[in-house]
Amino acid sequence: MAPSSSHSCTFPCFMLFLSLFLVPALSLASPSSNPKSIVLKVSKDPGSLQYFATLGLGTPAVAFKMVVDLGGESFWVDCQQGYKSSSYVQPDCPSEQCSSARARCGGCFLSPVFACYDHKCGRFLDNSVQKHAFYGIVSQDEISMKSAGLDVRVPGTVFICGETVALEGLAEGVKGIMGLGKTNISTVTQFASTFQLQRKFSVCLSSSLRSDGQLVIGDRPQHSIKSMTYTPLITNPVSTASAFFPGESSAEYFIGLKAIRVNGKPVQIDKSLLQIKDDGQGGTKISTVVPYTVMQTSIFSAVINAIATELGHSTRVAAVKPFGACFESNHVEKGSSGSHVPDIDLVLQNDRVFWRLGDVNSMVKINKSLTCLGLVDGGTYPVGPSIVIGGKQLEDTLLEFNLEESVLGISSAECSKLNLA
């Protein structure tokens, strides 16, 4: 599958990527401290609705604002504009770094910034917001950050050095994407390896633009939440990246949704769409780069009709993009008897295990008189995943991704007041 970008590749360059292989995660250079976990602030950009964290990169350290991509394959940055660091290294090829990054030696990159490197390695980097892929050079440099009051330094972090064009569609001031997906060179895997942490992370996105959420790599304090609902993480055997080769599985996080309920009533949908097919289509994915939950057309129509029935069809008004169902605000806002908005339950492994979306997660207030259901029509099959649970529906929800046990923990939490350090 070719990358979705304006760049093309000659046959020798294309052959660079055909023989990819996987080795155990890297053992990186000694860190500056030995934290029990890495804790980063996660903020929301009001214009793009993307979530980002800020890290120091290079020597001397320069602050890099990075989009947080839950299922991103790698940590990649724009090296074309003003990237200078005395600790920057391009690993020789063959090397552990190149093979761990699923890259091969040599090849030509169409930008004069990179040119041709006979003894270096490159691979695709993924702009998951625009769903475009680009080529980049496998590189290493030092990452530094403030974590729960500690100055943490991670020498030799492997990342992909890309071109400025790869930033298209990302929030203003962003320099790249910090991927948290299931790969050897994701931020989660590398930081966990460096500090000998459990391969797990927790994320809690704040619903307020005035306060930050948190990302914790490693263990979080058990007292930080009272109870969690657990469900298995499922591997999609076919990559969902913008460009990939046969045999690659997805780095993203899927869960096994069985049904959907509105106010406790089952929504009639084609449940076969909830299964991941042999070609990788279908299923339910969780994403931080999609601002609102996207549903295949028939599922979307069934859910919004069920919501409209509960709210009363007479309160429904003309929708505004990108939403498909909007209502009079005075009918859905909280009153003395509570919210009029029906609960949406995402039923997991059985009827007793579900992820509940209340009014905070399901409704988007457009103005004083207009409130819309925060769901988007994703089109008809094949569309990739049948459901992508997006950022709005993840806010004020603590999600714990345990990659050791392949389990997701879910709990409602007011992220702005939650101390995960």
Side-chain angles (χ1 to χ4, degrees):
M1 177 175 176
S4 304
S5 77
S6 58
H7 292 256
S8 60
C9 188
T10 62
F11 181 77
C13 184
F14 178 78
M15 290 298 293
L16 165 65
F17 299 95
L18 287 182
S19 300
L20 305 179
F21 53 96
L22 190 63
V23 300
L26 298 177
S27 298
L28 302 178
S30 299
S32 58
S33 57
N34 191 29
K36 295 181 180 179
S37 60
I38 299 294
V39 183
L40 295 173
K41 293 180 180 179
V42 179
S43 305
K44 186 177 182 178
D45 178 73
S48 66
L49 305 181
Q50 295 163 16
Y51 303 92
F52 66 90
T54 301
L55 301 172
L57 183 61
T59 305
V62 175
F64 272 60
K65 185 175 170 182
M66 306 290 293
V67 167
V68 176
D69 181 2
L70 193 61
E73 295 182 320
S74 66
F75 186 105
W76 67 262
V77 300
D78 167 25
C79 295
Q80 191 173 8
Q81 288 195 20
Y83 184 90
K84 294 180 180 180
S85 170
S86 62
S87 51
Y88 174 77
V89 174
Q90 287 180 358
D92 288 331
C93 205
S95 66
E96 182 184 3
Q97 293 91 333
C98 293
S99 55
S100 191
R102 299 171 66 97
R104 278 294 295 265
C105 306
C108 295
F109 297 84
L110 301 182
S111 165
V113 175
F114 296 139
C116 296
Y117 292 98
D118 292 335
H119 302 291
K120 306 300 178 184
C121 56
R123 59 156 286 158
F124 291 128
L125 61 86
D126 194 2
N127 180 330
S128 47
V129 173
Q130 292 292 93
K131 298 182 179 178
H132 287 176
F134 301 85
Y135 293 133
I137 296 291
V138 175
S139 306
Q140 283 184 288
D141 210 338
E142 179 171 287
I143 289 180
S144 54
M145 69 207 84
K146 278 281 188 183
S147 170
L150 293 175
D151 290 316
V152 177
R153 185 172 54 83
V154 193
T157 300
V158 174
F159 69 102
I160 311 301
C161 209
E163 302 175 72
T164 304
V165 66
L167 298 177
E168 182 183 358
L170 302 189
E172 184 178 356
V174 161
K175 295 295 185 180
I177 286 182
M178 182 171 68
L180 307 178
K182 297 182 288 183
T183 69
N184 284 344
I185 58 169
S186 76
T187 311
V188 171
T189 300
Q190 292 200 71
F191 284 11
S193 176
T194 299
F195 298 109
Q196 298 182 336
L197 305 173
Q198 284 203 56
R199 205 158 146 263
K200 65 193 307 187
F201 68 97
S202 301
V203 62
C204 201
L205 304 175
S206 176
S207 60
S208 171
L209 292 173
R210 296 185 296 273
S211 57
D212 295 320
Q214 286 185 318
L215 166 66
V216 179
I217 299 175
D219 281 320
R220 59 174 177 80
Q222 293 303 309
H223 61 74
S224 60
I225 204 73
K226 292 181 180 179
S227 62
M228 300 196 91
T229 295
Y230 292 94
T231 193
L233 289 168
I234 296 173
T235 297
N236 186 333
V238 180
S239 176
T240 48
S242 303
F244 62 93
F245 296 97
E248 292 183 326
S249 61
S250 177
E252 300 194 84
Y253 298 101
F254 284 75
I255 55 174
L257 200 65
K258 302 297 184 185
I260 300 175
R261 297 191 299 241
V262 171
N263 262 2
K265 303 170 185 176
V267 178
Q268 298 303 311
I269 60 175
D270 179 358
K271 293 185 179 180
S272 70
L273 293 171
L274 303 179
Q275 304 296 318
I276 299 174
K277 309 296 190 297
D278 291 340
D279 61 359
Q281 300 288 329
T284 300
K285 182 180 83 173
I286 306 172
S287 174
T288 50
V289 298
V290 174
Y292 304 103
T293 291
V294 179
M295 294 180 168
Q296 189 269 354
T297 295
S298 66
I299 300 175
F300 172 80
S301 298
V303 171
I304 63 172
N305 286 336
I307 294 286
T309 297
E310 294 297 314
L311 287 173
H313 286 276
S314 62
T315 67
R316 190 169 173 179
V317 295
V320 297
K321 292 183 178 180
F323 308 112
C326 296
F327 304 88
E328 297 171 0
S329 290
N330 61 4
H331 195 79
V332 299
E333 290 175 342
K334 288 185 177 180
S336 58
S337 59
S339 174
H340 297 286
V341 179
D343 291 324
I344 302 173
D345 291 341
L346 306 178
V347 181
L348 301 168
Q349 52 264 45
N350 60 58
D351 287 342
R352 298 184 301 277
V353 183
F354 55 89
W355 180 349
R356 173 160 290 174
L357 305 178
D359 61 323
V360 172
N361 296 109
S362 62
M363 290 293 178
V364 180
K365 189 167 183 177
I366 306 301
N367 54 45
K368 290 182 179 180
S369 60
L370 183 65
T371 297
C372 297
L373 183 63
L375 305 178
V376 176
D377 186 346
T380 56
Y381 184 87
V383 293
S386 295
I387 299 175
V388 180
I389 303 174
K392 172 64 176 178
Q393 285 66 46
L394 302 180
E395 292 175 350
D396 285 337
T397 303
L398 177 62
L399 300 173
E400 181 183 81
F401 295 82
N402 188 328
L403 306 188
E404 304 281 353
E405 300 179 9
S406 198
V407 170
L408 172 66
I410 307 165
S411 181
S412 296
E414 191 171 348
C415 296
S416 60
K417 297 181 180 179
L418 190 62
N419 182 14
L420 297 178

